[in-house]
Amino acid sequence: VKRSGRGHVRRYRPDQHAATERFQLLARELGHALARHELRLVYQPIFSLTDGEIVKIEALARWQHPVLGPVGPDEFIPVAERVGLITPIGLWVLHEACRQLTHLPDLLLSVNVSGLQLMRRDFVPGVLEILNGLEITPTRLELELTETSLLHEDARAVAALQALQAHGVQVALDDFGAGYSNLTRLRDLPISDVKLDRSFVSCFLNDDDQQRHQAEQLLRGVLDIARSLNVTVTAEGLETPGLVRLAMEMGCDLGQGYALSLPLSAPDLQELVSRQPLS
Ligand code: C2E
Ligand code: CA
Ligand code: CA
Ligand code: CA
């Protein structure tokens, strides 16, 4: 128990203290991660559910710290966002993933982008410069943004997306169904793909008939709107063959998940793609 300034007894919470220490440690170490080459990317294939071919890859960041070991992006991306490191890290991710794309001529690339990156004036020119420098057609790049990062529908963020889309860059709405699931957002934003969150997709396996029914209703709504707007629907978190079949039967266009492929290193991905029959 600690005594704070005005004589109140403040309960000392060891887990909160540990979390603060961990945050500060990660923030400090993350500042060196790029220069020390501790970050790398893996790529998870995204498959067409109609013909089973790989059409797209999603770049996913990995951090291997020499002492702390692997730190997952769910932990270090929020740290990067809070301490202002998401801009350099995000640019590195884009550049590194686009560099890989030059070896994969038939595929599209999806890159996760933080809402904070969109707020920067130099974001749009930065993306275009990377594409130009590597001679990549902008239509091969898709940026994934979560519903929550677009929640405020900030005018600058929307303008940035529209500017990129005018150049041909695609935008996907990530983690749909995990939080607010606002269908109107599909109409209002320049989106070409909706990614159904794993938590939402797994509702289709729910034993509770009513919950399963609700999820199915919501998915039908999403699919209807998506069809009318010419937006594709990707089912994430397809962990089992049963879920893959369900996503196909429900009419999702694309699928991603461990049952189809794990995230792969660049060489493993190239090898997988080279074995894929040409269409
Ligand atoms: P996300 O964008 O929703 O990415 C999908 C996550 O689900 C990845 O986790 C992937 O490895 C995992 N996953 C794929 N298939 C399955 C499955 O069948 N079952 C299960 N349980 N999980 C599956 P990962 O790589 O740990 O990334 C976590 C999150 O970190 C991502 O979620 C994304 O929000 C963020 N992230 C990763 N890389 C970046 C990046 O370069 N920039 C930004 N801003 N965020 C990133
Ligand atoms: Ca994503
Ligand atoms: Ca997602
Ligand atoms: Ca996620």
Side-chain angles (χ1 to χ4, degrees):
V1 174
K2 260 189 195 166
R3 222 163 255 286
S4 69
R6 275 174 288 176
H8 301 293
V9 174
R10 204 178 56 198
R11 203 177 276 269
Y12 172 72
R13 285 190 269 141
D15 40 328
Q16 192 188 337
H17 179 71
T20 308
E21 295 249 287
R22 172 86 175 165
F23 177 88
Q24 285 165 350
L25 174 65
L26 292 184
R28 205 163 52 235
E29 292 302 306
L30 200 51
H32 305 292
L34 275 179
R36 293 176 181 163
H37 305 285
E38 292 167 3
L39 295 181
R40 64 187 183 95
L41 295 180
V42 289
Y43 302 89
Q44 190 172 32
I46 300 174
F47 294 77
S48 159
L49 290 177
T50 42
D51 65 16
E53 282 194 37
I54 301 173
V55 291
K56 213 189 272 184
I57 50 174
E58 178 176 2
L60 295 162
R62 295 289 177 265
W63 181 19
Q64 180 73 34
H65 187 278
V67 176
L68 301 171
V71 183
D74 275 332
E75 190 177 12
F76 77 76
I77 294 290
V79 175
E81 289 178 335
R82 279 185 54 193
V83 301
L85 287 169
I86 195 64
T87 298
I89 290 177
L91 265 183
W92 175 83
V93 168
L94 260 166
H95 190 257
E96 178 66 16
C98 285
R99 218 169 50 77
Q100 283 305 325
L101 194 63
T102 60
H103 302 298
L104 300 159
D106 298 320
L107 299 184
L108 306 178
L109 168 71
S110 248
V111 176
N112 294 288
V113 168
S114 154
L116 292 174
Q117 290 174 264
L118 281 189
M119 306 298 288
R120 307 251 331 185
R121 237 173 266 285
D122 49 7
F123 181 70
V124 174
V127 173
L128 296 174
E129 196 182 305
I130 289 172
L131 291 171
N132 270 329
L134 293 165
E135 295 180 19
I136 292 173
T137 319
T139 49
R140 295 182 65 204
L141 176 66
E142 179 177 76
L143 304 180
E144 297 193 5
L145 283 135
T146 61
E147 276 199 287
T148 30
S149 72
L150 294 172
L151 204 61
H152 309 294
E153 260 167 53
D154 179 275
R156 196 188 298 174
V158 176
L161 291 182
Q162 281 165 342
L164 285 166
Q165 222 186 27
H167 282 90
V169 176
Q170 315 277 304
V171 178
L173 189 56
D174 202 0
D175 295 354
F176 187 88
Y180 301 85
S181 328
N182 190 342
L183 288 175
T184 59
R185 185 126 316 137
L186 296 182
R187 291 220 164 84
D188 300 341
L189 292 166
I191 284 162
S192 48
D193 183 80
V194 179
K195 300 194 77 176
L196 307 177
D197 191 68
R198 177 161 54 91
S199 60
F200 177 39
V201 171
S202 65
C203 286
F204 298 110
L205 296 180
N206 205 309
D207 287 332
D208 183 335
D209 283 345
Q210 203 186 334
Q211 283 192 22
R212 206 177 53 237
H213 187 68
Q214 266 178 12
E216 282 172 11
Q217 296 279 86
L218 178 57
L219 178 55
R220 284 192 208 292
V222 175
L223 287 165
D224 280 350
I225 292 188
R227 294 284 168 272
S228 71
L229 297 173
N230 206 14
V231 165
T232 55
V233 174
T234 304
E236 285 192 298
L238 303 181
E239 290 183 335
T240 62
L243 272 176
V244 176
R245 206 173 330 112
L246 245 146
M248 282 170 65
E249 284 166 5
M250 299 289 291
C252 297
D253 304 290
L254 303 173
Q256 179 178 7
Y258 297 162
L260 297 167
S261 171
L262 294 172
L264 304 171
S265 69
D268 286 352
L269 174 72
Q270 276 180 44
E271 137 115 52
L272 177 69
V273 169
S274 69
R275 280 191 274 121
Q276 179 168 266
L278 293 173
S279 47

